[in-house]
Amino acid sequence: MLSFRKALTAAAFVLTILYLLSHNTHHVSSNSHIPSPNLGTDGKEESGTAAAAPPPPATQDESQSNKGHVPSTPVSTSSSAKAPAGGLKQPAQQRPIMDTANLPLIDQLAYQFPYDGESKFPAYIWQTWKYTPASGEFSEDLRPAEASWSEKHPGFVHEVITDQVAVHLMRHLYASMPDVLEAYNSLPLPILKADFFRYLILLARGGIYTDIDTWALQSALDWIPPNVPRNAVGLVIGIEADPDRPDWHEWYSRRIQFCQWTIEAKPGHPVLREIVANITQETLKRKKAGTLKVTDDNVVEFTGPAIWTDIIFDFFNSDKYFDMTASNGNITWRDFTGMTAAKKVGDVVVLPITSFSPGVKQMGAEEDDHPMAFVKHEFGGTWKPEYLRHIGEEQQEEEEEEKKREEERKKRQEEKRKRLEERKKKQEAEEQKNKEVEATKIEENQVEKEVEEEKTERKVKATTKPVGTSRVQ
């Protein structure tokens, strides 16, 4: 049995311990309320507005962790691509909360959407259209293609964003960047906004953007070759056009043109940052000068695959992102023409033309069932004129038109031949008929002549006395 004094001492000791533990816990808890940058699920700093969004879905690796990786063509490791020495520079450390209003736009974007190249690709699929699949006005022709993305990517968040929703989403993600919002709202054509949206959503949230008229042939988990670590890749792009012909400039904007109907990216990637800054600044400059009138012919250069291609090549050759001291020279279209396997430049995987453009029957593209065929584009005509945007379609349309003209020409020739034959037959029949009529007339005339001769002979006989011997002697 404990004495009263010992019991009192033990109780005091226990209370002291409890007090110390409670005080330490309160100290830690109070520190957690110190203002700090909002963090995403990957622990990286995000914008204050973006952090209010619902938590992102599982990453691609998590959402399809039980799916095997189908081997694909390995990345080219030859020195022909002249990848910048040293690889991609490491991102800067997190910065404390600060007022970014006076920073250059490119730095504002970097602060609001920091890039973590070692993170996983978010399991998002973004598409845009006039209506959602739940709407009765959603085209039945588009449903199979739209559904293919969910079928090939179970566990992904698949969103079809309408124009109205896109406006509100941009306000939410870019609320702290009024210049970007002003540029987005000022673009005069729907296709310009559609182009800009894909870059904006991938910069802020990452994942896959793909046009509504595309089919998923294989899962995005198969796009990156198995011998390339996914934490070493931040952007996956494909070749749209590789026109090895002297008149290529009559058909395409660039000798090698990267497609932007399907893009996979991690949020904050520098290429997305650069193109968003470029479009924003160019839009506001034209708006201020009163020249923000973009025709269909200028879309490709302003927001489409031409400027997208230029930004990517600028990135490949930028000492801002790469250590260029040991570089063998600039990376150009020659490093990608004719390629049949994936190539990795820095943290960008470039896929051959077959991957996102199978079945176009030109420029070396294979068919839809090829192992490197990942996405099929139907060129559905979601904006006009389509010939300005899609791979080979202008040439295909020209060839189809020429084929139609040739068929029409042959058809007209055949019809002319038939008419001539019918006319000839008719003429021959007419001539035969005329001959028969003429022969009949000749025969009738001959008969009439013979009748007349017979009548004349009878008359002569009738008027002539017979000569005989007299009976009188």
Side-chain angles (χ1 to χ4, degrees):
M1 297 291 293
L2 292 173
S3 65
F4 177 79
R5 179 176 295 179
K6 290 181 178 180
L8 186 61
T9 302
F13 177 79
V14 171
L15 289 173
T16 301
I17 295 299
L18 290 175
Y19 172 78
L20 292 174
L21 290 173
S22 175
H23 178 73
N24 184 59
T25 302
H26 176 72
H27 178 72
V28 173
S29 176
S30 64
N31 286 343
S32 66
H33 292 285
I34 295 175
S36 61
N38 294 310
L39 300 179
T41 56
D42 58 0
K44 293 298 180 181
E45 181 181 347
E46 294 191 2
S47 66
T49 56
T59 59
Q60 293 184 16
D61 292 345
E62 295 166 347
S63 63
Q64 294 189 352
S65 59
N66 294 327
K67 186 180 184 303
H69 195 295
V70 179
S72 57
T73 308
V75 173
S76 171
T77 57
S78 67
S79 59
S80 60
K82 299 192 296 292
L88 192 66
K89 292 181 179 178
Q90 294 299 317
Q93 296 297 321
Q94 290 184 14
R95 292 174 289 184
I97 290 181
M98 58 184 296
D99 182 8
T100 62
N102 296 323
L103 292 177
L105 180 58
I106 196 74
D107 293 333
Q108 293 183 44
L109 293 168
Y111 178 83
Q112 295 294 336
F113 307 109
Y115 174 57
D116 180 9
E118 295 185 356
S119 64
K120 296 178 180 179
F121 283 91
Y124 281 123
I125 297 173
W126 306 99
Q127 294 184 291
T128 57
W129 189 235
K130 303 171 186 176
Y131 313 103
T132 65
S135 170
E137 297 182 87
F138 190 84
S139 173
E140 293 299 322
D141 293 338
L142 295 175
R143 289 192 185 278
E146 184 271 337
S148 70
W149 287 93
S150 293
E151 293 169 359
K152 294 293 184 181
H153 302 86
F156 278 50
V157 173
H158 182 185
E159 296 286 352
V160 178
I161 307 295
T162 63
D163 295 341
Q164 293 180 342
V165 172
V167 172
H168 294 292
L169 185 57
M170 291 301 99
R171 288 176 183 171
H172 171 70
L173 295 173
Y174 291 87
S176 61
M177 308 192 71
D179 285 352
V180 176
L181 290 178
E182 182 183 354
Y184 179 79
N185 293 324
S186 299
L187 291 172
L189 297 176
I191 180 55
L192 298 175
K193 290 185 177 180
D195 278 341
F196 200 18
F197 176 85
R198 69 194 66 191
Y199 309 133
L200 291 168
I201 194 64
L202 290 177
L203 175 63
R205 283 292 177 261
I208 299 169
Y209 171 85
T210 189
D211 279 356
I212 197 67
D213 56 348
T214 59
W215 290 74
L217 302 180
Q218 297 189 48
S219 168
L221 293 182
D222 301 328
W223 296 1
I224 299 176
N227 62 326
V228 176
R230 297 182 71 81
N231 62 359
V233 179
L235 180 66
V236 180
I237 58 176
I239 290 180
E240 173 183 356
D242 182 13
D244 186 14
R245 46 189 294 172
D247 62 342
W248 66 266
H249 56 281
E250 297 180 8
W251 302 97
Y252 302 96
S253 299
R254 302 294 183 269
R255 175 58 181 80
I256 281 287
Q257 194 162 290
F258 298 117
C259 81
Q260 34 94 269
W261 60 67
T262 301
I263 307 169
E264 183 181 27
K266 293 176 180 177
H269 194 277
V271 169
L272 298 168
R273 187 191 308 158
E274 292 287 345
I275 196 165
V276 166
N278 180 286
I279 294 174
T280 298
Q281 293 166 343
E282 184 65 21
T283 301
L284 297 182
K285 183 178 75 173
R286 294 189 185 191
K287 180 180 179 182
K288 184 178 180 180
T291 59
L292 188 57
K293 182 180 180 180
V294 182
T295 63
D296 290 332
D297 292 343
N298 303 128
V299 171
V300 178
E301 299 287 341
F302 192 16
T303 61
I307 185 63
W308 173 242
T309 299
D310 291 347
I311 293 292
I312 291 171
F313 274 114
D314 288 346
F315 173 75
F316 287 161
N317 297 297
S318 174
D319 57 5
K320 180 179 178 180
Y321 300 109
F322 296 95
D323 180 3
M324 306 292 290
T325 56
S327 174
N328 294 326
N330 282 347
I331 293 175
T332 69
W333 63 266
R334 291 181 176 84
D335 296 303
F336 301 100
T337 185
M339 60 180 280
T340 57
K343 286 188 177 182
K344 182 175 178 290
V345 181
D347 67 340
V348 179
V349 166
V350 181
L351 299 173
I353 193 170
T354 297
S355 295
F356 290 168
S357 303
V360 297
K361 302 184 185 304
Q362 57 180 317
M363 294 179 284
E366 301 289 347
E367 295 301 318
D368 301 359
D369 57 354
H370 191 273
M372 287 295 291
F374 301 144
V375 176
K376 181 175 178 60
H377 195 189
E378 292 287 3
F379 306 111
T382 57
W383 74 286
K384 298 296 179 182
E386 277 295 296
Y387 71 89
L388 293 173
R389 298 299 308 282
H390 293 138
I391 172 171
E393 187 172 8
E394 58 270 43
Q395 184 178 353
Q396 291 175 12
E397 288 180 353
E398 181 65 24
E399 291 174 352
E400 289 175 1
E401 288 297 326
E402 181 62 30
K403 185 177 180 180
K404 289 180 180 179
R405 288 193 292 268
E406 181 65 19
E407 290 175 352
E408 288 293 330
R409 186 180 63 82
K410 289 181 178 179
K411 184 178 179 181
R412 289 193 298 269
Q413 288 179 342
E414 181 64 18
E415 290 176 350
K416 183 178 180 180
R417 185 187 64 79
K418 288 181 178 180
R419 288 196 300 268
L420 290 175
E421 287 183 355
E422 291 176 357
R423 185 180 301 173
K424 184 178 180 181
K425 289 180 179 179
K426 188 175 181 180
Q427 289 176 347
E428 290 176 350
E430 189 71 24
E431 290 175 357
Q432 181 65 26
K433 183 178 179 181
N434 291 337
K435 287 180 180 179
E436 291 176 355
V437 170
E438 185 67 23
T440 302
K441 287 182 178 180
I442 292 174
E443 185 177 353
E444 290 176 350
N445 292 335
Q446 183 66 28
V447 171
E448 289 179 357
K449 184 178 180 180
E450 290 177 355
V451 170
E452 289 296 328
E453 289 177 351
E454 185 177 352
K455 286 181 179 180
T456 302
E457 183 179 353
R458 288 177 181 177
K459 284 182 180 181
V460 171
K461 288 181 178 180
T463 56
T464 303
K465 292 182 178 182
V467 178
T469 303
S470 176
R471 295 175 63 187
V472 179
Q473 297 293 327

